[in-house]
Amino acid sequence: MTDRDPSVRVRFAPSPTGPMHIGGVRTALFNWLFARHHGGTFILRIEDTDQKRYSEDSIHLITEGLRWMGIDWDEGPEVGGEYGPYVQSERVDLYREWADWLVDHDLAYRCYCTPGRLAALREQQIAEKRDPGYDRHCRYLTPEERAANDAEGKPYVIRFKMPTEGATTVHDLIRGDITFENTQLQDLVLLKSDGFPTYHLANVVDDHFMKITHIMRAEEWISSAPVHKNLYAGFGWEMPQIAHLPVILNPSGKGKLSKRSAGFSEGGRKIPVLLYEFQDAGYLPEALVNFLTNVGWSFGEDREVFTVDETIERFDLDRVNPAASIFPVEKLDWLNGVYIREMDPAKLAQLLMPVFTKAGYEVNPEILVGAAPLLQPRIKTLNDALEMGRFFFVDPFEPPAVADLVQKGMDTPRTLDALEKALARLDALPDFAAATQEAAMRALIEELGLKVGQLFGALRAATTAQQSSPPLFESVEVLGRDESLRRIRLALDVLRNA
């Protein structure tokens, strides 16, 4: 790696207002990859200043979700660091200090406008077909008016004085220079009346004091970039380099992928949107990391499957495409299947254990270890194993109906006769290995003049009660002689009673 720079410091700063959205996870991943590529520092910072939407469980969901993804942080909650605390509600005094500093230096002002006045102003602007926004009323109060408001104890917010002429240009590492006309920019609130900062003040102050060198955040924050640049200039601080990551679109390509995207796509399948939904759906973290890296970034060499270490080796912002990226869920299914097939079967068995137990099955670990390599090449998600492999653990086992036992070209008496003879042959085998079973059953097919599917299909139905399953005799071997023969006897009872 030729471009190591240990001074690189980046942060992921989620708001604990609910479960993590997959777009936020992608932002965290890109920041983490960038830090690891340069040998720098990745910081987790919790931006919990929106107290109305704060969710106490969210911080745990964030930290556990990142750990599940393999994204570790060098500084932050549960880790510490010399620039903490890393939870914004514990830094309120710092924000107040610097908001007051801006007021004292005539770079910000106290706004005493009531919610009623702001609502009436907005209604008037809409009625007059003007762009809604604050009219800077309190920016031009006289010192006497300000003193009178303070003497009355009127509540206030602190607003930043944006320049009203000229333009503000922000250099984006992905998009190049972006220029904003200052006449179109608002005097945004920096400090709310409850003493808590808005995002604009808190993230600028924190990024400065935490020595952040690069900011990678979602595209929707582009409109706030000129405010932040002017804030840095007002404080006299150097602004970190900034990059806005491309938005992620719905699988249809119509609209941003959001919490409202949850539901069914055109293909009739549920679209996971929140990180825990991907976990619950049976996706592997390694596959999800590989997949998200591909959404907006290119590894090159026309490769779509690559390890985290390979990604870290070549991760840079030059490979990020600023255009919006479609969220191809079908590709994630394929990629997840690739990772499952390459996994050690013993590890797969460990991952499948909670899938089956959560579904209510009592799992025999020895059978699961034997079943895992049979399921492995046939599933795309861990949850797929439920439908294909539940017959290993279902209790009580319900034998199939006559219609499922009797195969094409057969009738009930012939099926009964074939299964009776198959039972006797299987019971007499010296061992119950798959190859031994198959050899005996193929010999029986020859003797009875049957087609392979007629006997094998009946045996599959009898032992699994499913239309499809992993390879028949390997599955029967895993079930074991006693259980397999017991199930065939149950099927024979069904046929005799027909």
Side-chain angles (χ1 to χ4, degrees):
M1 190 182 300
T2 59
D3 49 354
R4 287 182 64 87
D5 183 0
S7 69
V8 164
R9 291 175 61 84
V10 298
R11 47 75 169 174
F12 175 56
S15 297
T17 55
M20 273 208 298
H21 183 275
I22 199 64
V25 177
R26 201 268 305 263
T27 298
L29 176 62
F30 277 26
N31 275 277
W32 181 79
L33 290 169
F34 187 80
R36 295 294 175 258
H37 173 78
H38 288 284
T41 302
F42 176 70
I43 298 161
L44 175 62
R45 186 174 73 218
I46 304 298
E47 297 194 346
D48 64 340
T49 55
D50 187 349
Q51 293 293 293
K52 291 181 179 178
R53 298 174 60 220
Y54 173 75
S55 170
E56 189 173 347
D57 295 333
S58 292
I59 295 179
H60 176 74
L61 291 173
I62 290 168
T63 55
E64 290 307 302
L66 291 176
R67 286 194 176 101
W68 181 76
M69 290 285 290
I71 299 174
D72 58 336
W73 52 99
D74 306 299
E75 297 177 22
E78 304 171 12
V79 174
E82 61 179 303
Y83 300 103
Y86 295 91
V87 178
Q88 285 189 334
S89 59
E90 300 174 18
R91 301 169 64 87
V92 173
D93 290 344
L94 182 65
Y95 309 132
R96 162 68 71 176
E97 174 188 346
W98 285 98
D100 287 341
W101 186 93
L102 289 170
V103 172
D104 293 342
H105 288 76
D106 198 28
L107 296 167
Y109 57 95
R110 293 173 181 170
C111 175
Y112 306 91
C113 292
T114 65
R117 181 187 183 277
L118 295 176
L121 173 64
R122 179 178 177 82
E123 289 180 8
Q124 179 183 352
Q125 290 170 331
I126 292 175
E128 296 174 356
K129 297 183 179 180
R130 292 187 290 144
D131 292 334
Y134 183 57
D135 60 358
R136 296 186 166 103
H137 171 76
C138 290
R139 178 168 176 162
Y140 303 110
L141 294 178
T142 66
E144 292 76 20
E145 289 171 322
R146 297 182 195 283
N149 285 329
D150 291 338
E152 291 180 30
K154 284 188 177 180
Y156 62 85
V157 299
I158 292 180
R159 292 182 182 271
F160 183 59
K161 283 187 174 182
M162 282 294 291
T164 57
E165 297 178 349
T168 299
T169 298
V170 178
H171 181 74
D172 188 296
L173 294 172
I174 296 173
R175 303 160 193 277
D177 286 346
I178 308 175
T179 298
F180 305 82
E181 295 299 323
N182 290 334
T183 55
Q184 302 300 311
L185 303 177
Q186 301 286 326
D187 285 3
L188 297 179
V189 174
L190 301 180
L191 199 73
K192 295 175 284 188
S193 58
D194 62 3
F196 276 80
T198 62
Y199 168 82
H200 308 290
L201 176 65
N203 97 88
V204 167
V205 170
D206 285 345
D207 286 347
H208 172 72
F209 285 102
M210 292 181 183
K211 300 187 183 303
I212 300 301
T213 61
H214 297 76
I215 297 170
M216 276 168 276
R217 61 188 184 186
E219 180 179 321
E220 51 261 40
W221 291 109
I222 288 179
S223 61
S224 69
V227 179
H228 300 164
K229 180 168 182 178
N230 281 286
L231 266 173
Y232 277 104
F235 284 129
W237 300 337
E238 181 181 356
M239 184 176 179
Q241 297 184 68
I242 194 166
H244 292 93
L245 303 176
V247 70
I248 301 177
L249 301 175
N250 284 320
S252 65
K254 300 175 182 178
K256 174 186 171 185
L257 187 74
S258 67
K259 293 180 181 180
R260 290 185 294 275
S261 303
F264 294 92
S265 69
E266 295 177 1
R269 63 165 295 171
K270 177 98 165 36
I271 302 173
V273 174
L274 304 174
L275 180 58
Y276 78 83
E277 293 177 327
F278 289 88
Q279 294 174 274
D280 291 347
Y283 292 104
L284 302 175
E286 304 94 318
L288 190 54
V289 166
N290 192 156
F291 171 75
L292 283 178
T293 306
N294 271 328
V295 181
W297 184 83
S298 172
F299 184 87
E301 303 173 11
D302 292 328
R303 285 180 59 186
E304 294 186 278
V305 183
F306 38 81
T307 67
V308 171
D309 287 341
E310 288 177 309
T311 308
I312 290 172
E313 179 66 28
R314 64 173 63 189
F315 189 85
D316 60 59
L317 296 180
D318 291 342
R319 295 174 180 268
V320 176
N321 187 338
S325 302
I326 292 178
F327 193 75
V329 180
E330 294 79 9
K331 184 158 288 186
L332 174 58
D333 293 339
W334 167 78
L335 195 58
N336 205 68
V338 170
Y339 276 84
I340 285 177
R341 290 191 294 276
E342 293 178 350
M343 182 179 293
D344 176 26
K347 180 181 178 182
L348 178 60
Q350 291 178 345
L351 295 176
L352 289 177
M353 176 67 80
V355 173
F356 280 102
T357 55
K358 185 178 179 181
Y361 295 99
E362 186 174 341
V363 179
N364 180 319
E366 185 176 344
I367 289 180
L368 182 56
V369 168
L374 304 181
L375 298 168
Q376 191 166 14
R378 295 166 177 82
I379 60 177
K380 293 181 180 179
T381 71
L382 298 178
N383 289 3
D384 289 346
L386 283 173
E387 183 172 354
M388 181 162 287
R390 63 175 180 269
F391 71 90
F392 285 112
F393 310 110
V394 64
D395 185 25
F397 176 79
E398 296 290 338
V402 172
D404 295 320
L405 288 165
V406 177
Q407 306 299 301
K408 186 176 181 180
M410 296 283 281
D411 56 23
T412 300
R414 289 187 72 198
T415 302
L416 177 62
D417 177 65
L419 279 183
E420 285 178 336
K421 289 182 170 60
L423 175 66
R425 296 284 179 95
L426 291 171
D427 193 19
L429 290 177
D431 67 79
F432 213 62
T436 306
Q437 296 178 52
E438 184 173 358
M441 293 302 98
R442 288 190 179 276
L444 180 60
I445 287 170
E446 290 291 328
E447 293 176 20
L448 298 179
L450 299 177
K451 296 179 180 179
V452 171
Q454 291 174 326
L455 180 59
F456 285 12
L459 283 171
R460 184 184 308 280
T463 54
T464 71
Q466 296 179 186
Q467 295 297 316
S468 62
S469 71
L472 172 61
F473 296 109
E474 285 84 349
S475 298
V476 172
E477 179 182 350
V478 171
L479 276 174
R481 186 193 300 262
D482 292 344
E483 178 61 17
S484 299
L485 299 185
R486 184 183 77 85
R487 293 185 180 188
I488 295 173
R489 291 188 182 100
L490 289 174
L492 289 171
D493 288 341
V494 170
L495 291 170
R496 291 182 185 120
N497 295 324

